[in-house]
Amino acid sequence: MDKRVIAAYKKLLAQFGSQFWWPADSDYEVVVGAILTQNTNWRNVEKAISNLRAAHKLNEKAILEIGNSELETLIRPSGFYKQKAARLKLATRKWMELSRRADRMPIADLRAELLSVKGIGKETADSIILYAFHKPIFVIDAYTRRFCKKFFDVEFRKQDYDEYRKLFESALPPDVALFKEYHALIVEWGKNNGN
DNA sequence: GGCCAGGTGTAAA
DNA sequence: TTTACACATGGC
């Protein structure tokens, strides 16, 4: 399996080229996107982020200070806007707290801290760890599960998230740039292919 | 017009 | 432990 995981990466890279993903101007913007994109098309997330930017609210301080109803209005296009407004504030507080000491924390501890926040599940936690904290953990999303089925004929239950994660992490060196690129390529494959 | 998107939390069996 | 359901908008 290890060789197949590596071979698949090379194939995607040859087909699509480097992706330079996640699309965000700052690490904190990754956190915002990670919350807003939950079960939501990225197109809609872009509208919400665009609204936040135009209102000069795309930073930690502004998000914590803004009123709930105003925040809900700004992120409305991303759906589940009431939930997401409340959870975005919770995630922001944890993000600020962890930012001070993340470099000295084991990844497992960082992950546990993120998972303790209501609204941050495994995929969201791992997206933040990889794309905002820049630490090597492999992100599993809907595209990745489809990709495993198609390329490796492997299919776990959705709740067995960590089985998918191990599949990739046991086959690859724990390299941040590699993990970012591989996941980005899988998403690109998914968007072009759909199956 | 219906289906579904880069999930998560909660309640009930 | 597993399953079912709520949460909501906008593009195709």
Side-chain angles (χ1 to χ4, degrees), chain A residues 28 43 73 81 92 106 149 154 189:
Chain A
Y28 176 62
R43 265 181 185 288
T73 301
Y81 57 89
T92 299
K149 184 176 169 67
V154 166
W189 166 83

Side-chain angles (χ1 to χ4, degrees), chain A residues 7-114:
Chain A
Y9 173 72
K10 290 180 177 172
K11 183 176 176 180
L12 290 179
L13 188 59
Q15 185 174 355
F16 298 112
S18 294
Q19 298 299 306
F20 304 109
W21 212 63
W22 179 297
D25 294 339
S26 68
D27 291 338
Y28 176 62
E29 196 178 319
V30 172
V31 177
V32 176
I35 297 291
L36 297 187
T37 197
Q38 290 171 356
N39 202 43
T40 300
N41 192 307
W42 185 258
R43 265 181 185 288
N44 288 14
V45 177
E46 284 182 321
K47 293 178 191 300
I49 290 181
S50 174
N51 287 346
L52 289 171
R53 182 177 285 113
H56 304 287
K57 304 297 184 188
L58 195 50
N59 62 79
E60 293 92 326
K61 187 169 182 290
I63 291 295
L64 292 182
E65 288 177 352
I66 192 173
N68 273 346
S69 61
E70 191 184 350
L71 181 55
E72 287 167 11
T73 301
L74 290 170
I75 68 172
R76 188 186 178 95
S78 71
F80 306 128
Y81 57 89
K82 290 192 175 182
Q83 270 192 10
K84 286 177 177 175
R87 293 173 178 185
L88 178 55
K89 290 193 172 193
L90 295 175
T92 299
R93 282 195 197 90
K94 180 62 77 174
W95 158 253
M96 292 177 73
E97 176 199 333
L98 291 175
S99 293
R100 285 183 247 114
R101 53 199 180 95
D103 284 344
R104 284 167 272 121
M105 293 174 67
I107 291 179
D109 292 359
L110 194 54
R111 192 173 196 240
E113 288 271 4
L114 289 167

